[in-house]
Amino acid sequence: PRRSRLVITGAAGGIGKMIRGKLDHIADEIVLSDLTDVSCSGNERSQTCDLADLDAVRALLKGGGDVLHFGGQSTEAPFERILNANLIGSYNLYEAARLEGVRRVLFASSNHVIGFHPRETLLDADSPMRPDSLYGVSKVYGEGLAHLYHDKFGIESLLLRIGSCFKEPSDRRQLATWMSPQDMIHAIERFVMVPRLGCPVVYGRSNNSENWWDNSKTDYLGWNPQDTAEVFRGKVEAATEVPSPLDPAVKYQGGAFVTADHPGTKEE
Ligand code: NAI
Ligand code: 15L
């Protein structure tokens, strides 16, 4: 069923840009939110909100509906930044969801919650967390919040551990981790439409030939990604060097995040 209201945080970001203007079949009103105003079309409107400000997040979610929570720090960063955007930001999102009567949240989790698993290990929804960064740990915290608000308050969440959602895969690792924008739109459609969501973990990747993630435990969602990174293999391999198999960034699923500098509490 079509929803009356869909709120999208992080609407000015990379994923926000790729899905804006393509969801009007899903909801009567779509509220696009980010730190600054976002350009709108059709049934979209823009409302600015700093996720670190609970009152602002409550104002954003007033009226309830469903939320696509894409807003926040999307890469490794000093703790202060992760703290405000992702820890306080996700807490505010779930607390405002409870107070304002939100039904469902798509939580943009990340493959970096499991980034220190070797690439030869096929993971599923029950595999242990092995975050590869402070950023990855912040997504572990977000998934924890989602479970708490589901078990205690009945708010349903899709914990979408996104691989690499970009227009095209740009390196050899992304031939396994790529999630096409269209497969993201299908996942959002299922998130909204499925009669009973619960709080499942789903790995966000297309139907790639190279695959490290088994989504069979969430077949009930009916999400069947259609695209494949394989069509870009020739282009990607021609443009990139063959990496050393001994490089930890090649050995582990999280790629460059596993070898990235630990930013600690550095000043921004
Ligand atoms: P992005 O960095 O392009 O967009 C994030 C947006 O959040 C930005 O527009 C930024 O202004 C906004 N934001 C940051 N701090 C905020 C705050 N305090 N209050 C309000 N807005 C704030 O990231 P992208 O690629 O669009 O990803 C969206 C979400 O999906 C992020 O949560 C990211 O962690 C997650 N994700 C993305 C992946 C990808 O491949 N693009 C892979 C895995 C996870
Ligand atoms: C992420 O979590 C990031 O948000 C995105 O920018 C990519 O780095 C992606 O993971 C990835 O692992 O490719």
Side-chain angles (χ1 to χ4, degrees):
R2 190 178 163 83
R3 309 305 304 167
S4 57
R5 191 166 190 270
L6 183 72
V7 177
I8 308 181
T9 69
I15 293 179
K17 281 197 187 81
M18 295 190 293
I19 63 173
R20 264 150 53 193
K22 298 194 173 134
L23 298 172
D24 57 352
H25 58 296
I26 281 180
D28 296 335
E29 180 190 42
I30 297 182
V31 184
L32 302 178
S33 183
D34 209 294
L35 289 167
T36 52
D37 260 320
V38 181
S39 63
C40 298
S41 64
N43 59 350
E44 298 170 340
R45 70 175 179 83
S46 169
Q47 183 167 339
T48 59
C49 167
D50 183 345
L51 292 162
D53 175 350
L54 178 60
D55 290 340
V57 184
R58 281 196 71 171
L60 179 67
L61 301 194
K62 206 170 188 62
D66 293 352
V67 179
L68 308 181
H69 183 42
F70 288 113
Q73 175 60 33
S74 65
T75 51
E76 184 63 315
F79 183 67
E80 194 71 12
R81 201 177 170 84
I82 302 270
L83 174 67
N84 286 311
N86 291 9
L87 301 186
I88 297 176
S90 296
Y91 168 74
N92 286 345
L93 194 281
Y94 275 99
E95 189 57 3
R98 179 180 75 85
L99 295 167
E100 302 300 337
V102 162
R103 182 186 79 127
R104 281 187 183 173
V105 177
L106 185 159
F107 178 72
S109 187
S110 170
N111 70 88
H112 296 291
V113 303
I114 50 79
F116 260 118
H117 281 282
R119 293 194 186 180
E120 294 78 11
T121 317
L122 183 71
L123 303 181
D124 70 15
D126 296 320
S127 298
M129 306 274 203
R130 285 180 81 169
D132 58 22
S133 47
L134 292 174
Y135 164 68
V137 173
S138 76
K139 296 293 187 180
V140 172
Y141 174 79
E143 290 195 13
L145 277 174
H147 281 294
L148 173 67
Y149 279 77
H150 176 244
D151 293 338
K152 211 164 223 180
F153 308 115
I155 297 172
E156 298 183 299
S157 286
L158 174 60
L159 306 178
L160 187 60
R161 291 183 182 166
I162 305 166
S164 307
C165 186
F166 302 107
K167 213 166 142 255
E168 292 182 8
S170 60
D171 60 31
R172 290 170 188 243
R173 172 177 167 274
Q174 290 184 13
L175 294 171
T177 60
W178 184 61
M179 178 179 193
S180 75
Q182 194 53 44
D183 283 332
M184 173 63 85
I185 295 201
H186 289 317
I188 293 168
E189 287 168 355
R190 295 310 301 159
F191 158 76
V192 169
M193 306 294 174
V194 73
R196 193 177 163 83
L197 176 64
C199 193
V201 165
V202 175
Y203 291 88
R205 47 114 184 96
S206 282
N207 186 22
N208 304 325
S209 303
E210 240 183 274
N211 176 34
W212 311 330
W213 304 324
D214 174 4
N215 277 333
S216 58
K217 284 180 173 159
T218 49
D219 268 356
Y220 73 94
L221 296 174
W223 178 57
N224 298 304
Q226 299 297 310
D227 292 322
T228 173
E230 213 53 31
V231 297
F232 298 102
R233 180 172 291 276
K235 185 175 170 186
V236 168
E237 289 187 347
T240 55
E241 299 285 315
V242 178
S244 159
L246 300 177
D247 182 349
V250 171
K251 189 171 164 201
Y252 295 107
Q253 300 195 359
F257 282 61
V258 308
T259 50
D261 270 354
H262 178 64
T265 48
K266 256 186 262 169
E267 291 297 313
E268 284 180 52

